[in-house]
Amino acid sequence: MSASSPGRRSVCTIALLLALVPSAPVRAQAPVQPNWAQIEAETMQHFQALLRFDTSDPPGNEKPAADYLKQVLEREGIPVEIIALPTEPHRPNVIARLRGNGSKRPLLIMAHTDVVNTDSAKWTHPAFSATRDGGWVYGRGAVDDKDNVVAGLMMMLMLKRMNVPLDRDVIFLAEAGEEGATRVGIQLMTRDHFPKIDAEYCLAEGGNVTRIGGQVKYASVQTLEKIPRGIELTATGPAGHGSVPLRGNAVVHLAAAVAKIGAYRPPITLNETTRAYFQRLATISTAAEASRYLDVISGNAAKMTAADDKLYDLEPRHSSMLRTSVSPNIIQGGYRSNVIPSEAKATLDVRMVPGQDTTALLAELRRVIDDPAVKVAFSGRASRPQTGIQKLDSEGFKAIEAAVMRQYKAVTLPSMATGATDMAFLREKGMQCYGIGPALDIEDGPKGFGAHSDQERILETELHRFVRFQWDIVENLARARRIP
């Protein structure tokens, strides 16, 4: 869209109105807008190049993508540092930094260069071809997470080329290992190199703008995430011949325990994010939906229970957002059909709400199972740390809300992710982290076009709008301001 088009004039008008809000800082001068036609062409060039690198994890080989980013950034005169474990140099992290005047703490833009595996036989367009077809770009990583990688790259290029004066340093971290080997990425960076990425705010994956029927409905910004843990149930009993059933059969005890866990729903646990999420969602929903959303946060026990039952049946993701979730996903037991095994195991996928007492959780599950023949314990699965408090009244969140309104003209829903991201490691350090993403069609996931799918794709127009959206946020938070 050209700068002189009606759409651009309307965006500028909204930006002017927002700038007149008393709480908004005063700019030293009206910023010069990027040449978006040129930016879009370059964005697509870099995006396709990054998609064509097979950075599947496992086995993990982010080096080609890291080398590409390093080359592009250094060509523009932007300092770049490569950090990797000495034993795994093929899995590097890329850090680039533009210096500000230091009047504010830095802004970190983070994205991961690795992607999940593919089954090439199931892809219509080759997974690493970055095929453009019908206004879409197809490829593994198109929406997880090379859209954020290219957006972060473009932020650095635009800030540098336009010589934007900065109140705070802007740091770009292209990390390795998010999809399955955090030891080479975020754990390495937070444990051994945190001063290089320490910031007041972080922008990363975890949110997105939702389109329904091609129209933007709302923007979801991840401000919290649940904490994944594995819990293992181990049932024991006497072994024996299968022709002689035994009351102490370990498989029977395990089956009963799993059934009880499956029927158990932990209590609703609300926080600032989930309260705001359902309150705001109610404003853009049908009357029946709005009633459920408001009832479930009402504090009225009867209304909350009835609404929760409806959400569990009709909107399970929303039900999961309300509580610590427990899902039995793996059962193992026996090795011959005519042998009663002495042991059987089940693995539970547990996603705890921030602040959950782990000892109390184990005690509650033991109470629910109520069987001394079944041991309940955390498994050895690696866990992300408990997350800190994310503020909804911060300068960072307000900048995101303003950008959502300018670019998408939609309401912003702060959300607690039911899954996990690497922002948990940064939040543990006290960083204010916000997950953002491009506009995606809600219909795409069920059709097999979403993240981790066999036809992962993104609309070209929404990739470009996401870059403009992120520029709006970064420019707002980092550009130097005149002291009133």
Side-chain angles (χ1 to χ4, degrees):
M1 183 184 294
S2 68
S4 61
S5 69
R8 176 55 60 190
R9 285 199 297 272
S10 66
V11 171
C12 291
T13 300
I14 294 171
L16 177 60
L17 291 173
L18 289 169
L20 294 176
V21 176
S23 62
V26 181
R27 297 186 185 280
Q29 59 183 13
V32 177
Q33 286 294 311
N35 183 323
W36 288 113
Q38 292 181 5
I39 293 300
E40 288 181 5
E42 184 177 5
T43 298
M44 185 56 63
Q45 173 192 340
H46 294 316
F47 187 53
Q48 286 186 287
L50 290 164
L51 287 177
R52 286 169 180 151
F53 296 121
D54 183 349
T55 54
S56 298
D57 180 10
N61 181 24
E62 295 89 342
K63 191 174 187 304
D67 288 346
Y68 180 87
L69 293 170
K70 180 175 184 291
Q71 179 185 35
V72 173
L73 291 161
E74 287 185 336
R75 191 168 58 219
E76 300 289 334
I78 300 173
V80 180
E81 188 173 3
I82 300 294
I83 294 176
L85 287 171
T87 55
E88 297 182 80
H90 60 293
R91 309 207 64 179
N93 302 277
V94 181
I95 304 176
R97 191 181 198 113
L98 293 173
R99 297 286 179 179
N101 60 32
S103 61
K104 294 182 178 180
R105 294 185 59 217
L107 168 66
L108 174 66
I109 304 170
M110 183 172 75
H112 63 88
T113 52
D114 63 325
V115 298
V116 296
N117 301 96
T118 64
D119 182 346
S120 59
K122 295 180 179 178
W123 284 73
T124 301
H125 303 292
F128 298 101
S129 65
T131 298
R132 299 173 70 180
D133 183 14
W136 302 85
V137 184
Y138 291 81
R140 173 60 82 227
V143 292
D144 185 14
D145 184 36
K146 290 180 179 178
D147 52 337
N148 274 285
V149 174
V150 77
L153 172 64
M154 295 309 299
M155 295 307 104
M156 303 301 284
L157 297 181
M158 287 189 283
L159 290 172
K160 174 66 172 170
R161 290 170 184 170
M162 297 171 66
N163 197 27
V164 177
L166 301 172
D167 273 342
R168 61 175 95 232
D169 291 5
V170 177
I171 308 165
F172 174 45
L173 170 62
E175 53 155 347
E178 191 275 345
E179 295 291 2
T182 53
R183 71 181 186 285
V184 303
I186 196 64
Q187 286 186 279
L188 171 64
M189 297 306 303
T190 53
R191 184 187 67 239
D192 299 339
H193 304 280
F194 187 67
K196 298 178 186 295
I197 61 171
D198 188 14
E200 181 176 11
Y201 299 115
C202 170
L203 302 175
E205 66 171 341
N208 69 273
V209 177
T210 295
R211 299 190 345 160
I212 300 176
Q215 300 298 314
V216 170
K217 183 73 171 178
Y218 57 82
S220 176
V221 176
Q222 195 237 76
T223 57
L224 280 179
E225 59 188 82
K226 296 169 82 172
I227 312 303
R229 291 297 300 267
I231 288 181
E232 194 167 74
L233 310 182
T234 304
T236 56
H241 198 288
S243 65
V244 182
L246 300 175
R247 186 179 295 278
N249 187 313
V251 174
V252 173
H253 280 270
L254 181 67
V258 169
K260 290 177 181 178
I261 291 297
Y264 170 65
R265 240 186 299 169
I268 292 174
T269 305
L270 297 171
N271 52 52
E272 182 186 14
T273 287
T274 49
R275 285 184 185 277
Y277 177 88
F278 286 105
Q279 286 171 344
R280 296 185 184 193
L281 184 59
T283 66
I284 56 172
S285 301
T286 66
E289 291 168 339
S291 178
R292 286 198 294 270
Y293 301 149
L294 295 177
D295 283 351
V296 84
I297 60 172
S298 66
N300 181 300
K303 288 184 176 181
M304 292 176 74
T305 298
D308 183 32
D309 287 342
K310 284 286 188 181
L311 291 177
Y312 188 60
D313 290 334
L314 302 176
E315 303 174 51
R317 183 176 67 87
H318 281 151
S319 177
S320 180
M321 286 176 62
L322 292 166
R323 55 173 45 82
T324 290
S325 61
V326 184
S327 178
N329 292 347
I330 300 175
I331 293 180
Q332 298 171 307
Y335 57 94
R336 287 184 61 115
S337 63
N338 62 347
V339 175
I340 298 173
S342 60
E343 183 178 275
K345 294 184 177 182
T347 302
L348 314 179
D349 183 9
V350 177
R351 306 296 173 117
M352 301 185 302
V353 295
Q356 171 80 58
D357 185 312
T358 55
T359 301
L361 176 62
L362 285 180
E364 174 65 5
L365 294 182
R366 292 185 183 115
R367 183 196 66 79
V368 170
I369 293 171
D370 190 26
D371 185 346
V374 179
K375 178 183 176 183
V376 182
F378 284 114
S379 68
R381 174 186 173 186
S383 171
R384 282 167 166 78
Q386 289 278 0
T387 60
I389 298 173
Q390 305 300 285
K391 300 175 182 177
L392 303 186
D393 61 351
S394 70
E395 181 186 7
F397 189 76
K398 289 179 179 178
I400 296 171
E401 283 188 294
V404 167
M405 183 56 66
R406 278 190 286 265
Q407 299 297 338
Y408 297 101
K409 298 179 179 60
V411 65
T412 299
L413 305 182
S415 66
M416 180 174 70
T418 55
T421 72
D422 281 355
M423 286 185 289
F425 293 92
L426 300 174
R427 289 179 176 134
E428 184 188 34
K429 296 281 191 179
M431 198 179 299
Q432 294 289 301
C433 296
Y434 301 104
I436 59 175
L440 305 176
D441 290 319
I442 200 168
E443 302 90 353
D444 258 11
K447 292 178 181 177
F449 294 117
H452 296 200
S453 71
D454 294 325
Q455 308 296 331
E456 188 175 345
R457 69 182 187 181
I458 188 171
L459 269 172
E460 294 182 14
T461 53
E462 292 301 346
L463 173 66
H464 297 315
R465 181 153 57 160
F466 178 54
V467 172
R468 293 196 297 273
F469 170 58
Q470 192 164 130
W471 171 256
D472 203 339
I473 300 168
V474 172
E475 196 268 346
N476 191 352
L477 283 175
R479 176 180 283 274
R481 310 294 178 96
R482 183 176 70 239
I483 299 176

